């Protein structure tokens, strides 16, 4: 019984840390002028920054609310994966250093941990 409990704890720790990071980036994209400048540097239009922020917040809600259907959670994980890979590609394509793309890479590790634990727990529905 120890392993399933560890999986639940691992899931919630990684998911909450991932959700906090995504929520912070959404807030920063909406409120901080430096982030708006960074989006312009990457070649994105201003409306995309705002749209992406609200979608991130919706995705965080989907991941954190337990009664959301698994299929919707799967789509949220997919959307976050696309967002993180796109952030890496955008930063690398303009020649940004690790200080710019490192956050996306680190957040990607949290995403991977959360998704790994979530999939394991899905295989054992009695644990959820």
């Amino acid at each position: 019984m120890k392993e399933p409990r560890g999986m639940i704890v691992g899931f919630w720790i990684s998911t909450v840390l991932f959700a906090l990071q995504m929520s912070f980036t959404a807030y920063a994209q909406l409120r901080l002028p430096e982030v708006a400048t960074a989006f312009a540097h990457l070649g994105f239009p201003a409306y995309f920054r705002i749209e992406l922020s609200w979608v991130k917040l919706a995705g965080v809600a989907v991941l954190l609310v337990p009664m959301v259907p698994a299929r919707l959670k799967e789509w949220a994980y997919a959307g976050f994966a696309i967002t993180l890979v796109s952030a890496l590609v955008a930063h690398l394509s303009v020649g940004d250093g690790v200080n710019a793309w490192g956050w996306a890479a680190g957040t990607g590790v949290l995403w991977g941990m959360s998704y790994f634990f979530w999939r394991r727990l899905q295989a054992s529905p009695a644990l959820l």
Side-chain angles (χ1 to χ4, degrees):
M1 190 71 164
K2 190 174 186 177
E3 181 179 304
R5 188 171 194 196
M7 284 221 235
I8 293 169
V9 170
F11 166 75
W12 281 111
I13 289 173
S14 59
T15 302
V16 166
L17 289 173
F18 176 71
L20 285 171
Q21 177 63 13
M22 285 288 104
S23 297
F24 171 75
T25 60
Y27 169 81
Q29 290 166 355
L30 287 170
R31 296 289 185 187
L32 301 179
E34 304 88 26
V35 177
T37 303
F39 263 72
H41 164 72
L42 294 172
F44 295 120
Y47 69 83
F48 178 69
R49 174 179 51 86
I50 295 164
E51 175 184 319
L52 183 61
S53 300
W54 288 109
V55 171
K56 281 182 180 182
L57 292 172
V60 164
V62 166
L63 294 185
L64 293 178
V65 174
M67 69 273 309
V68 171
R71 183 166 295 214
L72 193 54
K73 287 185 187 282
E74 191 77 42
W75 278 99
Y77 276 115
F80 281 127
I82 293 166
T83 299
L84 292 167
V85 169
S86 296
L88 282 170
V89 169
H91 284 294
L92 292 172
S93 70
V94 297
D96 285 344
V98 70
N99 61 328
W101 58 261
W103 286 101
T107 305
V109 171
L110 288 173
W111 174 90
M113 291 172 58
S114 174
Y115 186 67
F116 168 81
F117 285 119
W118 182 73
R119 292 296 294 170
R120 289 290 175 122
L121 291 172
Q122 288 299 300
S124 304
L127 298 177
L128 292 176

